[in-house]
Amino acid sequence: MPLMTAEEYLDSLRKLNLKVYMFGRRVSNPVDDLIIRPSALAVAKTYELAHDPEHEDLMTVRSHLTGEKINRFTHIHQNREDLLKKSKMGRLLGRETGCCFQRCVGMDALNALSIITYDIDLKYATKYNQRLLNYLRYVQINDLTVDGAMTDPKGDRSLPPHKQPDPDAFLHVVEKRKEGIVVRGAKAHQTGAVNSHEILVMPTQAMGPDDADWAVSFALPSDAEGITYVMGRQSCDTRKLEPGKRDQGNIMFGGHEALVIFEDVFVPWERLFMYREYDFAGRLVELFAAYHRQSYACKVGVGDVLIGAAQASAEYIGVEKASHIKDKIVEMNHLNETLYCGCIACASEGHQEPSGTYCVDILLANVHKHNVTRFPYEISRLAQDIAGGLMVTMPAEADFSSGEVGHLLKKYFKAKDGIPMENRLRILRLIENLTLGTAAVGYLTESMHGAGSPQAQRIMIGRRINMREKIRAAKKLAGVE
Amino acid sequence: MWNKIALKYCGGCNPQYNRREATNELKEKLGNRVEWVTVDSGEAEAVIVVQGCPRACADLSELPDVPMFMLTSVEQIQTVVADLIQAYNQPGDDQE
Ligand SMILES: Cc1cc2nc3c(=O)[nH]c(=O)nc-3n(C[C@H](O)[C@H](O)[C@H](O)COP(=O)(O)OP(=O)(O)OC[C@H]3O[C@@H](n4cnc5c(N)ncnc54)[C@H](O)[C@@H]3O)c2cc1C
């Protein structure tokens, strides 16, 4: 059965020979590294829940290629129900991990490519779609985690790839051989890259004829020769190295991003899904972005955790009945459920593409993600309001066990009678983690820039709105001829 | 009398009640009338579908062709228990 267990997944990562750097040193065993491990455990949750009777209905689905039960993260959406279940799965996993579980980007890349390869084949009589389906079968049978790699470093944003002073600012083809091509460049901010078996590369923006060498999409094993990973660091990351777990906030899970560098890496033809078809780069970005903007359903689940933490914190200090606290909790829920509406709406209004793949409603997916660039910030502000200042002024866990000051801290940080102080401190650390610490990378800045910065959604909203219809309706009611 | 019953859950994206607590209560109430089997064991004589909310989106397409009992809220636990007892047990069985 092509469904790995969490343990099998972690073991499979140990078999990879990745070249990973962090804090200026090569990391020999990323899976067991204290800083990286929580992120591997978050991905492992996507494997674990696929075996859990209470969640398998969302986490698994029948493959349209093999008929086998597969992890939904390796699936090509076959109907609207699939799109809906994808949104629901995002919320579920966000709530269960309280962080970015990293596996959605590859799923979104596979779905976008299932559409675009078909469209390219129609125009140019190429064989990309069959190649992609062969690759997909391999991913499904082996239940792989795939890093969806779109974002280039981009150098001077005002210049297209071919005008960049350094041509490597966008990943590009440097050589064509009989067996394949050689590429050079980098992909920035790669979510879960070091926890992935495969890396699936796509161009990052629309391109013109002079950019043809930059219009390239392919997949490689994550440990292919010539690929190097440099881990991004996160606020408070070294807390994971300290004895005791409380100050981490989320004591189980986390996310990660890395810069992935391709130094003259060979790509065989059978792993190429776009090669110089620059006229399809923009549409691929639009499709991937739409799916990935839907994927920000996960932030609703993380919002569930933050709202739960804020409510618990209010109860610990006896303010939960105050009218302004109740109102703030309602407001947080209102914002969070509004986000949920968006990811459900774009799925419900999905449509079938000529390739057979179901695609979300692109306008609504952009509206959803645009809300995501805002609401988690407001939910965080309200959570910090309710939490009080201790979430940022609390001494370290070690101080609480100190023979000299520990008893004083316990005396002065005691809250309501009957509430163990430990519980309050843990919840406050979790709020800190989500709004300022390692998880704020995922809950806040990823909400802002991941799947495209806010302006990218505004451009899409502007393009997709049927303005003529609005004008027609207005004119008719106003009696304008 | 023993009946072989399986539990099928929806995916649990945003359940409106604690599905695990509800099934524990259900199991307690049904006591030793029921032998719990898995959905794909091929032995289930009935399936209780534990849906986290009234949207009831669990995929039923691969369930065995046996009677189904839907649970979409905690309030329904008693009804499901009563329906099961009525469907499978002789009068008086529930006194054991
Ligand atoms: C936590 C996190 C996880 C991510 N995960 C992934 C991933 O897994 N895979 C992946 O491929 N990408 C990933 N991304 C990348 C994400 O898609 C980019 O951050 C996003 O597209 C913005 O690009 P940038 O960060 O280079 O911002 P910049 O391009 O530096 O943008 C900075 C500002 O400049 C503006 N700007 C940029 N270019 C122009 C222009 N030409 N004209 C006018 N204004 C402009 C932007 O709107 C923004 O306001 C991730 C990002 C984050 C933060």
Side-chain angles (χ1 to χ4, degrees):
Chain A
M1 189 171 70
L3 281 176
M4 268 199 268
T5 63
E7 286 69 30
E8 285 167 344
Y9 162 67
L10 293 170
D11 282 345
S12 71
L13 290 184
R14 286 194 186 88
K15 292 186 189 122
L16 297 173
N17 183 24
L18 301 178
K19 200 172 161 195
V20 181
Y21 287 85
M22 188 169 60
F23 297 121
R25 285 196 306 273
R26 175 110 187 236
V27 183
S28 55
N29 176 8
V31 191
D32 298 306
D33 181 274
L34 286 175
I35 294 209
I36 301 173
R37 188 167 174 78
S39 69
L41 294 178
V43 184
K45 199 76 181 167
T46 70
Y47 289 88
E48 181 194 315
L49 294 190
H51 293 274
D52 182 340
E54 289 185 33
H55 300 295
E56 65 175 351
D57 199 82
L58 283 180
M59 298 299 306
T60 63
V61 60
R62 291 261 162 224
S63 163
H64 74 297
L65 296 179
T66 64
E68 293 269 4
K69 194 169 164 185
I70 54 167
N71 194 298
R72 189 174 295 281
F73 282 103
T74 66
H75 184 52
I76 298 297
H77 314 300
Q78 297 298 303
N79 46 51
R80 286 192 193 94
E81 194 64 20
D82 278 348
L83 291 171
L84 276 168
K85 288 199 165 176
K86 178 197 160 191
S87 289
K88 294 178 178 195
M89 173 174 74
R91 182 174 194 168
L92 166 70
L93 280 162
R95 197 173 60 244
E96 293 301 311
T97 61
C99 69
C100 169
F101 43 83
Q102 308 145 58
R103 212 175 162 188
C104 63
V105 209
M107 164 179 59
D108 296 333
L110 286 167
N111 274 275
L113 280 163
S114 78
I115 296 172
I116 211 76
T117 51
Y118 186 91
D119 295 351
I120 300 177
D121 288 353
L122 273 187
K123 183 167 176 189
Y124 292 116
T126 41
K127 298 269 187 299
Y128 293 127
N129 191 250
Q130 192 50 53
R131 273 187 203 164
L132 184 85
L133 295 181
N134 293 344
Y135 176 67
L136 179 68
R137 190 175 274 113
Y138 166 74
V139 168
Q140 290 184 343
I141 289 172
N142 294 288
D143 199 7
L144 301 179
T145 290
V146 179
D147 168 20
M150 177 165 274
T151 310
D152 291 280
K154 300 190 295 265
D156 182 341
R157 272 58 170 168
S158 67
L159 301 175
H162 73 278
K163 286 203 173 142
Q164 293 287 337
D166 181 351
D168 302 346
F170 289 75
L171 186 143
H172 62 119
V173 183
V174 289
E175 191 188 335
K176 182 180 174 184
R177 295 182 190 159
K178 197 161 150 267
E179 314 79 32
I181 60 166
V182 177
V183 297
R184 189 185 304 150
K187 291 289 175 181
H189 323 295
Q190 292 308 299
T191 294
V194 168
N195 295 330
S196 301
H197 306 100
E198 290 278 321
I199 180 159
L200 182 45
V201 168
M202 299 159 286
T204 203
Q205 63 184 45
M207 292 185 183
D210 294 332
D211 299 319
D213 281 341
W214 287 265
V216 61
S217 173
F218 58 85
L220 284 174
S222 52
D223 57 358
E225 185 70 30
I227 301 183
T228 303
Y229 300 82
V230 186
M231 298 293 294
R233 75 170 304 184
Q234 300 178 329
S235 148
C236 309
D237 49 9
T238 48
R239 288 191 190 183
K240 293 175 199 162
L241 304 175
E242 296 170 7
K245 283 199 153 229
R246 189 171 78 201
D247 289 350
Q248 287 178 34
N250 184 334
I251 62 165
M252 297 167 151
F253 304 112
H256 83 235
E257 286 77 31
L259 177 73
V260 186
I261 303 161
F262 294 75
E263 290 176 292
D264 294 348
V265 178
F266 175 71
V267 185
W269 290 117
E270 66 270 17
R271 286 295 194 96
L272 263 168
F273 311 124
M274 174 186 279
Y275 174 62
R276 308 188 94 249
E277 289 85 6
Y278 63 85
D279 46 334
F280 283 89
R283 169 96 171 120
L284 174 56
V285 175
E286 181 178 289
L287 286 168
F288 168 77
Y291 280 124
H292 201 40
R293 288 168 192 173
Q294 173 201 17
S295 282
Y296 279 63
C298 63
K299 304 307 177 209
V300 183
V302 181
D304 287 333
V305 175
L306 185 53
I307 295 167
Q311 175 70 30
S313 149
E315 291 174 10
Y316 290 165
I317 58 168
V319 297
E320 78 276 16
K321 295 201 179 79
S323 62
H324 78 101
I325 297 288
K326 287 200 277 189
D327 190 52
K328 281 165 185 158
I329 294 283
V330 168
E331 178 65 7
M332 292 164 88
N333 278 304
H334 164 69
L335 293 169
N336 206 43
E337 299 301 336
T338 304
L339 293 182
Y340 196 48
C341 294
C343 64
I344 290 296
C346 68
S348 313
E349 297 286 281
H351 64 275
Q352 193 172 28
E353 287 283 326
S355 67
T357 304
Y358 266 73
C359 182
V360 286
D361 181 280
I362 292 182
L363 171 63
L364 296 184
N366 277 276
V367 169
H368 166 59
K369 171 64 195 359
H370 203 51
N371 285 336
V372 174
T373 67
R374 297 174 176 174
F375 296 176
Y377 286 87
E378 179 61 7
I379 295 171
S380 296
R381 191 183 73 80
L382 292 166
Q384 291 195 356
D385 176 347
I386 293 170
L390 189 58
M391 59 164 274
V392 291
T393 64
M394 187 195 309
E397 182 173 0
D399 290 315
F400 285 82
S401 39
S402 140
E404 281 124 86
V405 292
H407 65 288
L408 294 172
L409 298 182
K410 285 171 189 151
K411 170 180 159 72
Y412 289 111
F413 291 135
K414 183 178 175 305
K416 241 169 80 168
D417 255 354
I419 302 290
M421 184 196 57
E422 174 75 15
N423 294 6
R424 180 185 179 211
L425 302 184
R426 282 179 178 272
I427 284 289
L428 291 178
R429 283 292 185 218
L430 179 61
I431 296 175
E432 181 198 31
N433 168 259
L434 286 163
T435 63
L436 302 165
T438 52
V441 173
Y443 189 54
L444 296 180
T445 316
E446 189 177 52
S447 291
M448 177 71 80
H449 288 293
S453 309
Q455 184 58 16
Q457 290 110 56
R458 296 185 82 82
I459 290 170
M460 286 307 295
I461 292 168
R463 269 192 209 149
R464 289 267 160 179
I465 287 291
N466 182 356
M467 198 51 78
R468 302 318 307 171
E469 172 57 16
K470 293 181 200 300
I471 296 170
R472 182 205 60 76
K475 282 184 174 170
K476 185 177 171 202
L477 292 174
V480 176
E481 289 297 313
Chain B
M1 176 181 174
W2 286 81
N3 289 108
K4 294 184 175 176
I5 296 182
L7 287 168
K8 159 79 185 168
Y9 292 87
C10 72
C13 65
N14 188 26
Q16 298 305 300
Y17 63 100
N18 188 320
R19 296 177 308 155
R20 187 167 300 175
E21 275 174 18
T23 46
N24 285 344
E25 192 181 328
L26 198 71
K27 283 179 178 173
E28 208 171 281
K29 288 204 154 78
L30 287 166
N32 64 4
R33 292 182 188 89
V34 169
E35 181 185 340
W36 297 97
V37 295
T38 59
V39 173
D40 47 17
S41 63
E43 294 182 65
E45 296 162 53
V47 178
I48 301 174
V49 188
V50 185
Q51 311 264 20
C53 71
R55 165 83 174 82
C57 72
D59 180 1
L60 309 180
S61 63
E62 294 191 11
L63 289 185
D65 189 16
V66 294
M68 260 188 286
F69 298 82
M70 292 284 171
L71 186 69
T72 56
S73 68
V74 229
E75 290 72 40
Q76 283 178 333
I77 295 176
Q78 202 47 54
T79 322
V80 169
V81 170
D83 288 352
L84 271 162
I85 290 172
Q86 200 188 2
Y88 289 99
N89 286 340
Q90 299 302 316
D93 268 9
D94 57 334
Q95 303 304 315
E96 67 190 18

